[in-house]
Amino acid sequence: MADSTIQIGILGCAEIARKVSRAILISQTATLYAVGSRSIEKAQKFAADNGFPATAKVYGSYEEVLDDPNVDAVYVPLPTSLHIKWAVLAAQKKKHLLLEKPVALNVEEMDVILAACEANGVQFMDGTMWMHHPRTAQMREFLSDAKQFGEFKSVNTCFTFTADQNFLENDIRVKPDLDGLGALGWYCVRGILWATDYELPKSVIALRNPVYNKAGVIISCGASLFWEDGKVGTFHCSFLTNLTMDLTAVGTKGTLHLHDFIIPFEEKKASYISAVECGFKELALGWVPKPSEHTVTTDIPQEVLMVREFCKLVGSIKNEGATPEKKWPTLSRKTTLVLDAVKASIEKGFEAVEIAS
Amino acid sequence: MADSTIQIGILGCAEIARKVSRAILISQTATLYAVGSRSIEKAQKFAADNGFPATAKVYGSYEEVLDDPNVDAVYVPLPTSLHIKWAVLAAQKKKHLLLEKPVALNVEEMDVILAACEANGVQFMDGTMWMHHPRTAQMREFLSDAKQFGEFKSVNTCFTFTADQNFLENDIRVKPDLDGLGALGWYCVRGILWATDYELPKSVIALRNPVYNKAGVIISCGASLFWEDGKVGTFHCSFLTNLTMDLTAVGTKGTLHLHDFIIPFEEKKASYISAVECGFKELALGWVPKPSEHTVTTDIPQEVLMVREFCKLVGSIKNEGATPEKKWPTLSRKTTLVLDAVKASIEKGFEAVEIAS
C-alpha cells in the first residue's frame, strides 16, 4: 500500500492544515510526507502534533518542500495573497496542487496559477471539502432530475459565523495583505454555481450595506446574481452573525433545503430536505405532500473523500500517464470569476457587473 | 353565547372565503351572519356549502350586506382592485373590516381605506393568518431575546408555488384589473417586516429578471431591502416554482429557520428551528451546539385565532366603547409601503427606491 500512496507535502502550519493532515492520515491513499514552515520549530511541532510519521520530512522553508523530489503533491493552506507565488512555484516543480480557498485574489492571478499547472501537467484542485460529500452527489441527482426538480429558477445561500475579537483583530482573513478577500463569499458563490450546475450568471449586483473592518477588508456582504434565462440567485456572507450555512434551491417542480451545506452538523451523517410538487390539502389546511428529510451516512468524512479524489487523479497521472482532470480548475475559476464581479460591483457603488463567460 | 358573538357578513364567494367561513364557524366568537354576491344563486350555494346557519342572510349584492344593521363586521375577500370601493363603503356603514391581502393596490388607496376606518371608528385588520399562530409569537420572543438572537443582521424570505394552467389563465391574481399586484410579495415582505419588528427599510432594490404574464402582471419577482443601521433583507416570490415558504433570520448570536411560515405543514402543530451561538467541534468536524427544532401545538388553527383576535377587538369597541387597535392597520400600511417601493424599483429599471418612513 505504502508504495502506491501519494506523498504529500504541506506548505505552512495553518489551522485548516490540521484537519487536512488528519484527512490524509485517514485516507490510506496519501502519506503525510513533509511539512515546511518559515519556522522549523513550528514545522516540527506541527508534524509531532498531527500524526506525521517519524520518517516525515520537516523543513524550515516552503522551498525545501518543493525541492524534495519525493513529494508528489503539495497542499497549500497559505494566505490567499501568497498563492500566486507558491502555487506557481509548486507547479513548476511538478508538484500536483491542492490549494486552499479562496484560490486567488482575482481571476488574473488564478489564470497565472492555472497556466502554470497546465504547462507542467499537474493536477489542480481547490480545498472545498463539501464538494466531495456523498450528500452533495445525492442532492445533485435531485436537482438534475427534471421529473422531480423541474426547471431551475432560484437559489439562495448564506454562510456566516460570529468571529470572536481575536479573529477580528488577528486572523489572516481580516488582513488586507493576507486573505484580502475577507468574508467575500467563496462558499456562497460555489454553492450557487453548484446548484445551477456551474452555469455562470450573466451579471452580478452586490447588496448594499457591506461591512468593512478598519483595514478595508470586507467582513460582511452579499449579492444578487442573474442568468440569461431568468434564473436568480442571492447570497449573504458575514463574519458578524451566528454560524449559518443555508442553501435553498427552487425549481418548477421541486425544492431543496439544507442548513449545513459546507460542514455537516455531524461528521458521519448529513441530511437535506427535498420537496416535490407540493400542494395544499383541501382549504389549504396543510401541505401535501410535505417536504421529506433524507439522511446520507458516510464512514469517510468529506475532507478524506476530497483527499482520495485528489490522490486518485494524481495517481492516474503519475502511474498511468493520464492528463489532469479539467473539472476542478474549471469550477475554481468560475467561482473566482463571480467573486471578482461581486467585488467589482461593490467598488462601483453596487452597479450591475457583467460576467464574461 | 349567541348574543355576544360578532355577526359577520362576507362580500363575495372567493375560494379563500371558504376557509375563513370555516374559521368563523369554529371560532365561537363570531357568527356567519350574511353573505352577498352579485349572483344570489352563488351566494345561496356558498351559504349552503359552508355551514351558514339557516337563519343567515343571503343577498344578491354587496350593498345589501353593508345595509343590514345586524352585520357588525365584514370580511372582504374581493379582488384587490375592488377593495377601495367596498372597504370604504363598509367603513362608512360602520362595519368593522377584515380585509384580504394585498389590502390595496398602493399606499394611496390604502390611506383612503384607513382614513374611512378611522373616521368611522371601525377596526381594520388584514387577513394575514400566520400572524396569529402561536408559533409566530414564540419565534418573536426568540428574535427579541438579545441573549439568544443578539442583534438583527439579515433576513431572507421566499414564497412560491406552481400555479397550474387554469390559475395562470383565469385566476384573479393574474388579471391586471383584479389583483393587479400578481405575485408581488405580500407574504415575503410581511415576513421580513415581522422579523425586523416592523422597522421599515430605508431603501429597496428590486431583483432583475421579474417575470410578467401577457397582460403585464408580475408572476415572479424579488427584491433586496436595506436598513439605515446595516440590516439587509432579500426575498423571492413566484407563481412559477414549487410551493416554498422559507424564512431565515440571522442575528449576531442566533439564527431562525422555517420552511412553512405562511401555512404550516400541519394544521395543529408547527415547527421552527433555532440556533444559538453555534460553533464548531475540534477541527470543525461538526457543529456544537446543533440547531434545535421546536414544535408548537395548537388545537385552534391560525385562521380561527385571527377571527378571534378580530372579534375580540370588535367586541371591545362595540360593547366597551374601546377605540380601534392601531397595530393592525399600521402593519398593513408598512407592508404596502414596501411593496410600493418594490414595484417602483421594477418600474424604474431596478433603481434603489427610498421608503418614506
Side-chain angles (χ1 to χ4, degrees), chain B residues 33 165 184 224:
Chain B
Y33 181 80
Q165 210 50 40
L184 194 73
S224 47

Side-chain angles (χ1 to χ4, degrees), chain A residues 290-311:
Chain A
K290 290 192 287 180
S292 51
E293 188 168 4
H294 308 267
T295 300
V296 180
T297 57
T298 176
D299 283 337
I300 309 164
Q302 59 184 11
E303 61 274 17
V304 179
L305 293 167
M306 175 181 77
V307 168
R308 286 194 177 172
E309 173 70 12
F310 178 66
C311 289

Side-chain angles (χ1 to χ4, degrees), chain A residues 38 83 86 163 167 276 309 311:
Chain A
R38 287 169 301 172
H83 285 189
W86 294 104
F167 181 106
V276 179
E309 173 70 12
C311 289

Side-chain angles (χ1 to χ4, degrees), chain B residues 67-308:
Chain B
D67 284 332
D68 186 323
N70 295 317
V71 168
D72 295 312
V74 288
Y75 167 59
V76 181
L78 298 171
T80 307
S81 62
L82 303 181
H83 284 189
I84 185 157
K85 173 174 178 183
W86 294 104
V88 168
L89 260 178
Q92 289 169 345
K93 301 280 187 178
K94 313 288 185 195
K95 307 305 185 195
H96 301 281
L97 190 59
L98 180 60
L99 186 59
E100 259 315 325
K101 36 69 45 187
V103 291
L105 291 174
N106 53 54
V107 79
E108 288 76 21
E109 290 199 357
M110 169 99 209
D111 282 344
V112 173
I113 293 170
L114 293 184
C117 290
E118 192 155 339
N120 291 284
V122 301
Q123 180 65 48
F124 174 95
M125 183 187 278
D126 72 47
T128 310
M129 297 169 178
W130 67 270
M131 304 300 298
H132 304 272
H133 197 291
R135 173 177 67 172
T136 306
Q138 194 168 314
M139 295 189 300
R140 176 73 260 154
E141 274 182 43
F142 173 63
L143 295 181
S144 298
D145 183 344
K147 284 185 187 153
Q148 291 205 80
F149 190 73
E151 200 183 328
F152 199 104
K153 290 291 186 183
S154 72
V155 56
N156 174 254
T157 58
C158 176
F159 174 39
T160 74
F161 59 87
T162 308
D164 59 21
Q165 210 50 40
N166 181 41
F167 181 106
L168 288 175
E169 283 168 12
N170 302 314
D171 194 87
I172 57 167
R173 282 166 282 184
V174 298
K175 303 286 186 186
D177 54 339
L178 297 173
D179 271 2
L181 300 181
L184 194 73
W186 177 271
Y187 284 119
C188 285
V189 166
R190 175 59 66 89
I192 289 173
L193 287 174
W194 169 81
T196 58
D197 212 9
Y198 304 107
E199 185 188 336
L200 279 172
K202 185 177 172 238
S203 64
V204 165
I205 302 177
L207 297 186
R208 294 177 185 219
N209 291 351
V211 180
Y212 298 87
N213 69 7
K214 283 180 188 161
V217 173
I218 289 171
I219 54 176
S220 174
C221 70
S224 47
L225 291 76
F226 306 98
W227 282 258
E228 189 81 53
D229 67 355
K231 287 194 288 283
V232 295
T234 47
F235 75 83
H236 176 67
C237 47
S238 173
F239 292 159
L240 302 175
T241 61
N242 186 47
L243 183 58
T244 304
M245 293 182 179
D246 273 17
L247 188 152
T248 300
V250 192
T252 49
K253 292 187 175 176
T255 308
L256 172 73
H257 302 281
L258 70 165
H259 297 305
D260 59 350
F261 80 101
I262 302 163
I263 295 179
F265 297 134
E266 295 181 47
E267 195 178 17
K268 298 199 171 175
K269 64 174 191 179
S271 300
Y272 65 96
I273 295 168
S274 70
V276 178
E277 298 193 271
C278 294
F280 291 125
K281 291 181 190 164
E282 169 68 4
L283 292 182
L285 301 179
W287 294 39
V288 58
K290 292 192 286 181
S292 52
E293 188 169 5
H294 307 269
T295 300
V296 180
T297 57
T298 176
D299 282 337
I300 309 165
Q302 60 184 11
E303 61 274 17
V304 179
L305 293 166
M306 175 182 76
V307 168
R308 285 193 177 176

